[in-house]
Structure formats: C-alpha cells, structure tokens
Amino acid sequence: YMGIDTWGVDYVLLDKDGNVIGDAIGYRDARNALAMPEVDKIVSKEELYERTGIQRLDYNTVFQLMGGLRAGMGYCGCETIPLLKENGVTCCLENMWIQDWKSKKIYTACCSDMNEVIYYVDAFNRIAEEELFGFCLDTGHLLLLGLDGKTCMEKRGNRIKALHIHDNDGVDDQHLSPSLGVNDWDRFLKGLIAIGYEGNLNFENPGSLKQV
C-alpha cells in the first residue's frame, strides 16, 4: 500500500458553471496579513484553533478569504457587494446540511451553526459598510439537524430576512407542507413573534405533490 499526503492553499473562485471568477491570487499575497485582525474581530484566535486545529499562518484559507472580501473579491463573488449596492438587493445566507449517502448520517454544513451565521452576516455587512447581507432560515434543514426553530430565531434575531418553510420526518429532506412532518410549528410561530418578523413567508413544499 502507498499513502500520499498532499496540501495546498492556493485557490480560485468558481461560478455555478465552473468558470473562474476574478484572478488567482498567490497564497503569499501581503493582503492576507492585513486581513488577520479582521478575522480576529469575528472569531477569537482560541476559537479558530479549536475549530480547525491548524497553525496560525497568514496564508490559511480563512485569512485569504477575508483578504479577498476586503479587496472586493470573496465568499459571495468578486463583485457581489457593488452589485448589491447598485441594485438594492439583500443577499441571504442559508443554513445548510450534508449527508453521508451510504450511512445516511446527517452533518452540519455552511451556516447551520448559529454563531457562524452571526459571524458571516455581521462581517460582510461591516465590510460593505451597510446592511446588505442577512440570513434565510430554512425550517426543514433545522429539523434534519435536530435544532429548535424558536431558539435559532432568537439567536439570529433581526438578521433573519427570509424564510424557507417546509416540513419532513426528521430523516429526509422531503420538503413537505407544514404539519405533514414532525416539525414543532407552535415553536416556530412563537419564534417569529419573539423576533418581530415582518418579512415574506416562502413555502418550499414540492414534496407534498408526491403525496397527492
């Protein structure tokens, strides 16, 4: 048997069709060091190490991403912030999940951690110097991860700008209509009241059509 150990920290951003967005930036670029204090404002050095377990170096990807954001090229694309400002659009990050399709075990993914959402939304808005980013709370994804809707809403508060409302059996992402799954909708409604939510209610229920 032969094992191969590789590593690398250069990267480029791609759009949904696999096309490169912006220029490739060398991982030794000086802007990374300037981005480190900005990351420290979002997550402490101790917590970052606890999450990643890697040595603190200015070319770690998290510092490169922040450097890109500060330069107008980052997590949401190289021209996202200027475009949002120009068109008066709010960009919402959504709580996601991933699954091991063999074992069927479900894991947390981007923005499923309440603190992570707060970090991202607040950091992007701070860089944009105005409120251009918010959070889209997906009820079905919360349920798959065993998270309580009311608690999550109270934690994220007025950062919640949109809702994806659907139900499931707690095992599969079925996108059922409310009450056709096992979600606690009483807690969900109490959460909306607690944060004074006045936005749109977007029902994502194509799974219910399969039951008709």
Side-chain angles (χ1 to χ4, degrees):
Y1 297 95
M2 179 177 66
I4 300 175
D5 182 19
T6 64
W7 66 278
V9 287
D10 283 323
Y11 70 92
V12 293
L13 299 174
L14 305 176
D15 64 18
K16 64 180 181 179
D17 297 318
N19 300 310
V20 175
I21 301 175
D23 297 324
I25 305 296
Y27 75 94
R28 293 284 187 178
D29 194 89
R31 68 183 187 176
N32 298 338
L34 299 175
M36 295 176 79
E38 293 297 321
V39 174
D40 293 339
K41 295 176 184 177
I42 302 169
V43 56
S44 68
K45 299 174 184 177
E46 293 77 15
E47 184 175 356
L48 185 60
Y49 180 80
E50 182 179 351
R51 289 187 177 198
T52 64
I54 61 174
Q55 183 180 359
R56 180 181 171 86
L57 299 167
D58 64 7
Y59 53 75
N60 291 349
T61 305
V62 65
F63 300 127
Q64 291 194 62
L65 288 171
M66 180 58 77
L69 282 168
R70 296 177 78 250
M73 180 190 76
Y75 185 85
C76 296
C78 63
E79 296 183 348
T80 300
I81 290 177
L83 286 173
L84 295 176
K85 290 184 177 183
E86 179 182 348
N87 295 285
V89 174
T90 298
C91 176
C92 290
L93 310 181
E94 181 178 342
N95 53 305
M96 301 303 295
W97 61 280
I98 55 176
Q99 184 176 38
D100 181 331
W101 298 108
K102 289 185 177 180
S103 67
K104 301 299 182 181
K105 186 173 182 179
I106 294 173
Y107 300 91
T108 59
C110 178
C111 294
S112 57
D113 179 272
M114 289 183 288
N115 292 320
E116 183 180 38
V117 172
I118 294 171
Y119 294 152
Y120 283 146
V121 171
D122 290 355
F124 293 157
N125 284 333
R126 186 161 55 245
I127 293 167
E129 298 182 336
E130 62 179 285
E131 191 175 18
L132 296 178
F133 295 85
F135 178 65
C136 173
L137 184 134
D138 189 296
T139 61
H141 297 173
L142 290 179
L143 182 57
L144 290 174
L145 294 169
L147 299 175
D148 176 63
K150 183 174 182 291
T151 300
C152 291
M153 281 188 272
E154 290 176 336
K155 182 73 173 181
R156 289 155 176 157
N158 61 8
R159 297 176 183 85
I160 298 176
K161 306 299 182 184
L163 297 170
H164 285 176
I165 301 172
H166 56 103
D167 210 339
N168 59 61
D169 60 4
V171 178
D172 294 310
D173 193 23
Q174 298 164 304
H175 283 260
L176 303 175
S177 296
S179 79
L180 293 182
V182 298
N183 192 48
D184 189 335
W185 293 104
D186 182 61
R187 293 282 295 172
F188 171 74
L189 293 175
K190 288 180 178 178
L192 293 182
I193 294 171
I195 66 172
Y197 182 77
E198 297 181 347
N200 294 327
L201 304 178
N202 178 26
F203 290 85
E204 290 190 324
N205 310 135
S208 297
L209 297 177
K210 299 178 182 179
Q211 298 189 1
V212 176

